[in-house]
Amino acid sequence: MTMVDLGPQTRIVARLAASVTDEQLTAATPCPEHAVRDLLGHLLTLSVAFRDAARKDLGPTTDIHPDAALPDLGPGWREELPEALDELADAWRDPAAWTGDTRAGGVDLPGALAGAVVADELVVHGWDLARATGREYAPDPAALDSALTFLRAAADDPGRGNGGFGPVVPVPADAPPLDRAVGLSGRDPGWPRRS
């Protein structure tokens, strides 16, 4: 796992979030049983958690288990999310974030692996948000490459289950990298927008 500037990907996610209308907050997403508002709440929580993981500021934010209930999206999310995404990218620009050990989701792991995990989260959830709201989506190539490397390793590791988020969805071998990442994450790249 190599150091990646997450800034380009966090800016993409921030732009997608800024375009979400109030009416779209209840729209379905590729994440079963989660609406757009849940996805935005998750993005806010993971941005803070992985910011703190990068800083090695371990505590309540880095101990939240991924299976914990999704937080309610507060009224200030339109200001809070882009700020948290900026802080996340800034924290991971420090080379020290990618060395040593840290914690995220209540799990101790190497800093470089945590960086790859958050790149994956940003890429895949950016796709989720774009699909759910009918927006065009082209992730940052460096973040996508990091996510794809992480997801391939996760899918091949029997101790991690089948993919990062659920059973791997097969895609053609010549599928674009984003479709491969989405499939490895347990999502169908052909997921339609639902209203």
Side-chain angles (χ1 to χ4, degrees):
M1 306 291 175
T2 58
M3 186 171 168
V4 175
D5 180 3
L6 298 175
Q9 183 62 28
T10 59
R11 287 190 294 275
I12 291 167
V13 172
R15 280 194 301 271
L16 287 169
S19 71
V20 173
T21 66
D22 289 344
E23 294 75 24
Q24 289 174 320
L25 291 175
T26 57
T29 71
C31 307
E33 301 181 21
H34 296 303
V36 168
R37 72 177 302 110
D38 302 318
L39 180 58
L40 291 166
H42 178 61
L43 280 164
L44 180 55
T45 301
L46 79 85
S47 294
V48 171
F50 279 94
R51 173 204 67 197
D52 292 348
R55 294 174 178 171
K56 312 293 197 282
D57 184 11
L58 310 183
T61 62
T62 60
D63 286 338
I64 299 171
H65 193 274
D67 292 334
L70 293 176
D72 188 31
L73 192 63
W77 74 268
R78 290 188 186 277
E79 295 76 34
E80 293 167 3
L81 180 56
E83 181 179 329
L85 286 164
D86 283 346
E87 291 175 355
L88 170 70
D90 188 54
W92 284 97
R93 286 188 184 106
D94 182 349
W98 297 82
T99 63
D101 291 328
T102 191
R103 183 180 313 127
V107 176
D108 293 325
L109 67 167
L113 180 56
V117 170
V118 74
D120 166 58
E121 291 276 342
L122 292 167
V123 167
V124 173
H125 290 318
W127 180 86
D128 291 333
L129 188 56
R131 278 302 174 103
T133 59
R135 304 296 190 275
E136 293 297 318
Y137 181 60
D140 171 66
L144 175 58
D145 185 57
S146 180
L148 197 49
T149 299
F150 166 74
L151 287 164
R152 281 185 187 127
D156 290 342
D157 182 353
R160 290 183 173 243
N162 293 323
F165 298 94
V168 170
V169 175
V171 298
D174 61 349
L178 179 57
D179 286 1
R180 283 183 272 145
V182 167
L184 287 168
S185 76
R187 289 153 170 76
D188 179 357
W191 190 88
R193 179 176 180 237
R194 299 174 188 166
S195 35

